[in-house]
Amino acid sequence: MNPIYEIYRTVTVRPARRGDAEAVRAIRNHAIEQSTALWTQSPQTPAEGAAWLASHLERGSAFVAEAAGEVAGFAVYGPWRELDGYRHTVEDSVYVREGRHGLGIGSTLMAALIDAAREAGHHVVIADIEAGNTASIRLHERFGFHHVGTVPEVGTKFGRWLDLTIMRLPLT
């Protein structure tokens, strides 16, 4: 057995706390700096990271995965659009710490996030995913999300245009 898998066999998902802000920010900043998962090139400052997480904590929509004594990933859901007509639709985000992919952490987080969104009375979860992020697309497909469209060249990062794949999961 792969020794790293042995270390991460036990993953616990719990509601995030204010004290998780720095660990969550580090995971987000890695994604900002190294991937096209987040369409910005500006890393979060500690204050920005704390404020971002606080908005999710107020809604009860932030979770972390702990494995081997560390925050190995996080998941949040939040408003998909700000207008009140969209109030029953949320967008998900699931991120796993670098070097911890492929160990079931993302799946564990996704399951908890979907359950929480359903229990909160939301109707639909939307996933907006960079079209080349096949790992995220496969994760969402495993949980029953369906591809509803791809919008070409709506974002840019690292000097290239990015396509947005939109996926949908009905909760009711």
Side-chain angles (χ1 to χ4, degrees):
M1 177 176 285
N2 182 340
I4 195 167
Y5 182 77
E6 186 68 26
I7 293 169
Y8 294 100
R9 272 188 316 166
T10 304
V11 176
T12 303
V13 174
R14 62 166 173 78
R17 301 184 285 251
R18 289 193 189 282
D20 297 319
E22 188 54 33
V24 169
R25 184 180 79 91
I27 295 168
R28 280 180 56 86
N29 279 348
H30 185 271
I32 289 168
E33 294 166 353
Q34 303 295 322
S35 78
T36 55
L38 288 162
W39 293 8
T40 182
Q41 296 184 95
S42 302
Q44 285 185 317
T45 66
E48 291 167 338
W52 179 86
L53 183 59
S55 69
H56 290 287
L57 294 176
E58 288 173 21
R59 279 192 298 276
S61 63
F63 304 88
V64 297
E66 289 184 333
E70 73 172 358
V71 173
F74 74 90
V76 297
Y77 68 79
W80 183 54
R81 299 285 184 265
E82 293 300 324
L83 298 175
D84 67 349
Y86 297 107
R87 69 187 171 278
H88 301 291
T89 302
V90 293
E91 179 179 7
D92 75 320
S93 294
V94 176
Y95 289 88
V96 175
R97 181 180 297 282
E98 181 64 23
R100 310 305 188 263
H101 297 97
L103 304 173
I105 295 168
S107 294
T108 303
L109 283 163
M110 181 69 83
L113 192 73
I114 291 169
D115 287 347
R118 185 176 284 121
E119 289 173 17
H122 295 293
H123 182 67
V124 171
V125 178
I126 297 291
D128 288 334
I129 305 168
E130 194 275 316
N133 189 343
T134 57
S136 183
I137 291 169
R138 283 194 311 266
L139 173 66
H140 284 82
E141 287 172 343
R142 283 196 308 272
F143 281 88
F145 282 76
H146 295 280
H147 182 271
V148 294
T150 298
V151 187
E153 298 183 355
V154 294
T156 181
K157 189 169 181 182
F158 303 137
R160 63 184 173 98
W161 287 104
L162 302 173
D163 300 343
L164 181 69
T165 292
I166 303 169
M167 300 182 79
R168 175 184 183 271
L169 176 69
L171 297 174
T172 57

